[in-house]
Amino acid sequence: EKTIPETIRKILKDADHAIQHADENTAVHLLDNAIREISESTEHYYLLAELYRKRAEAEFMNDRKQSEKDEARALAYARLTGDNALIAKYMLIDAYNETTPEDDIRRMHEVYTFAKETGFDGICAEAAYWEGVKHIRNENESSARKCLPLALEHYSKLSAKDIGADICDGSIVR
């Protein structure tokens, strides 16, 4: 929030409003204009990550492939920022994009490992949960039984204020 200029914050707010009113095309147009105005430089990586993340959200219903490309761009820019919280969050969001069952499990495990190393219990809880669910879908109950308790363990470490800030879809784990 501190690194987002007021003009970009307004564009993100307007894009959110458009998405909430099922006007994804307007949201994409707003975000594309903002992206064109920002140079690709170190001080703008955070902004580009946020804009591409919002663009992916806007494209999700209309063009799933483009949404996935935008998620990958958002993650690439997040990695360039060096902000571990942003990287972990965007790794998790990108890992939701389903590929093969084996790749889904691998990606969720990578998110869990990164989040654990960097100390983000909410993202650990979420990634472990989804890794477990994907094991269940693959009919691998023994692996699921290892993941799901990890999700609860990390979730139990969160305070009430952390749940909104450090977990993408906390209602799933709850």
Side-chain angles (χ1 to χ4, degrees), residues 87-98:
I87 295 167
K89 177 182 172 183
Y90 284 9
M91 281 178 72
L92 179 62
I93 292 167
D94 188 58
Y96 286 134
N97 293 325
E98 294 185 9

Side-chain angles (χ1 to χ4, degrees), residues 48-127:
L48 288 164
E50 290 290 320
L51 290 166
Y52 275 110
R53 169 65 198 114
K54 185 56 66 181
R55 191 180 192 293
E57 183 182 338
E59 284 284 15
F60 184 77
M61 296 304 283
N62 295 329
D63 187 345
R64 182 69 186 256
K65 289 286 184 206
Q66 184 59 49
S67 177
E68 289 175 4
K69 287 178 186 175
D70 290 338
E71 292 288 6
R73 280 183 170 157
L75 176 55
Y77 282 116
R79 288 180 197 268
L80 290 171
T81 68
D83 179 341
N84 286 338
L86 191 66
I87 295 167
K89 177 182 172 183
Y90 284 9
M91 281 178 72
L92 179 62
I93 292 167
D94 188 58
Y96 286 134
N97 293 325
E98 294 185 9
T99 52
T100 66
E102 295 77 20
D103 195 39
D104 288 349
I105 290 168
R106 180 190 57 75
R107 292 170 74 197
M108 281 299 170
H109 189 74
E110 287 173 0
V111 172
Y112 175 80
T113 301
F114 181 80
K116 186 173 181 186
E117 288 170 359
T118 53
F120 298 107
D121 284 311
I123 293 173
C124 285
E126 193 78 5

Side-chain angles (χ1 to χ4, degrees), residues 14-28:
D14 291 346
D16 269 338
H17 181 75
I19 291 168
Q20 290 169 359
H21 290 86
D23 190 4
E24 288 84 4
N25 292 334
T26 297
V28 168

